[in-house]
Amino acid sequence: MAAPDGERPAAALEGIRVCDLSGQLAGAGATRYLAAFGAEVIRIEDPTNKGGWDILRGAPPFVDDRRGIDMGGAFNNHNVGKWGVTLNLRTDEGKEMLAALIRTSDVVTENFAAGVFVRMGFSYEVLRQLRPDIIYVSNCGFGQTGPYRSYKTWGPIVQACGGLTFDSALAGHEPAGWGYSYMDHMGANYMALAVLAAIVHRNRTGEGQWVDISCTETAATLTGTDILDFEVNQRAPRAPGSVDSNRSAQSAMAPHGIYPAAGDDAWVAVACRNDADWAACRAVIGDEWAGADVFAHLAGRLAHQEELDRHLGGWTRSRDRHEVARLMVAAGVPAAAVAMPEDRIDHDQVTADWGLWPTVHHPLMGDVRVEGLPVHLSRTDWVVDRPAPCLGEHNEQILGGLLGLTPDELADLAERGVL
């Protein structure tokens, strides 16, 4: 989205430098947002990726049969727009160069387990000595305080502890789990928001601060309705009478659910908010069952919801999901085809117009699509036009250009395993 006058102003976060030691997604996802809005994000990694700093570097998806530490598709997606530097922090020289980078940075981010960065020699007190107004962000499973601070976590562990896993099933069934680390995404969102708030505070007062994030607490924030239901009604998720599937209990609607459509694993969502919606839906259907008196009013539809869903599912099953949605929407009934990933990426004009899947050119992978951001600013919009860095790709530009190391010094450091 271009600025109204056609001139591109300075990026929203231009002039903000982030020394980024985070990985995977909970941390890397946050700093990709900052980079997209113009922050200079310098990603620090181990020269050999030892210790599993970021397992996504060589992990699928891949663009072809090639494999390697720079071929991970998820890594590229989560680190677009960043600069890549390698420092062996098991060496004194590596730590000295990290300290020098911190002195020139506004923000330091990491998502190690609690206490790891301190054991490396970089407690918050040390960071403040290096730069008094530093904003330090630690993002881990249980935060830096409390009885569980030393526990190590992964996305599914966080979701289990936060209560989300227990919710991920229909009534009468075992929890299905999430199958993917959604809490890394949510942790990244909260982390980016917190960094921006800390920057505003520093700009106003000159004071830096420590931002402590717990991904488990982040997960708990998404279980509010279940917590409220238990607190008020002593009713647990998946218990009889609790919210089940896609049906709405507040306010009550019927039909309101996901129904099978023609084709393999094809579905369509239909929601009738009131009797007027049902009358319009019934007219679209046209079958005799839809005109039954028992379905004419909401109370009857709710009392016979299983039968209603069975009839409606039988009607939708032989029809294309997009056609069902088109007919319902034309009649004024809320409906939508359930989108598959290929729909959102290849066929949805809305996401195409929004630029939600920009293409970047990776030196090894070639042209690949990555995630954009689902927001646009009229004056200082985001930009995603550079791929993630290959391991140590910008050592010369950053360590040479920013810290003043000569090519000979850089070569010597690399030969000795510091870079």
Side-chain angles (χ1 to χ4, degrees), residues 259-263 266-268 285 287 289 310-324 327:
Y259 302 92
W267 306 85
V268 60
I285 295 169
D287 290 355
W289 67 264
R310 186 168 60 254
H311 279 303
L312 182 54
W315 183 83
T316 59
R317 189 182 298 277
S318 62
R319 291 166 172 82
D320 177 78
R321 57 189 169 133
H322 296 287
E323 178 64 9
V324 171
L327 291 171

Side-chain angles (χ1 to χ4, degrees), residues 57-199:
R57 266 206 163 274
F62 303 108
V63 296
D64 50 36
D65 293 335
R66 292 174 296 165
R67 303 292 183 266
I69 206 165
D70 293 315
M71 299 302 295
F75 179 88
N76 181 58
N77 181 66
H78 302 333
N79 292 280
V80 288
K82 303 178 187 179
W83 304 92
V85 168
T86 52
L87 291 177
N88 187 344
L89 298 182
R90 296 180 296 276
T91 68
D92 290 339
E93 290 167 296
K95 293 178 179 179
E96 290 170 4
M97 282 186 282
L98 176 60
L101 287 173
I102 291 171
R103 291 189 187 96
T104 72
S105 298
D106 302 279
V107 183
V108 175
T109 60
E110 52 94 354
N111 63 327
F112 301 122
V116 170
F117 205 36
V118 173
R119 292 194 291 273
M120 289 182 180
F122 294 94
S123 65
Y124 179 50
E125 291 72 21
V126 169
L127 298 180
R128 291 183 65 190
Q129 292 172 10
L130 296 173
R131 176 157 178 163
D133 65 348
I134 197 70
I135 295 169
Y136 166 51
V137 185
S138 57
N139 183 346
C140 64
F142 290 98
Q144 301 292 320
T145 60
Y148 302 115
R149 64 179 299 272
S150 62
Y151 286 28
K152 295 181 179 180
T153 63
W154 199 246
I157 305 301
V158 166
Q159 287 157 193
C161 293
L164 290 174
T165 301
F166 188 80
D167 298 352
S168 63
L170 305 182
H173 294 269
E174 297 179 356
W178 287 65
Y180 188 72
S181 185
Y182 281 100
M183 286 321 305
D184 276 333
H185 289 269
M186 291 305 301
N189 293 342
Y190 277 110
M191 178 172 161
L193 175 63
V195 169
L196 296 177
I199 290 173

Side-chain angles (χ1 to χ4, degrees), residues 274-276 278-279 282 289-301:
N274 47 46
D275 288 348
W278 170 244
R282 185 179 61 205
W289 67 264
D293 291 342
V294 72
F295 297 144
H297 300 291
L298 178 61
R301 294 196 302 277

Side-chain angles (χ1 to χ4, degrees), residues 1-47:
M1 182 182 294
D5 59 8
E7 297 180 2
R8 184 174 185 84
L13 296 180
E14 185 171 327
I16 298 295
R17 178 174 293 146
V18 181
C19 184
D20 182 22
L21 295 97
S22 60
Q24 315 336 324
L25 177 57
T31 52
R32 93 185 291 278
Y33 300 149
L34 305 180
F37 281 110
E40 182 185 51
V41 178
I42 302 174
R43 181 179 169 83
I44 312 298
E45 298 183 83
D46 186 274

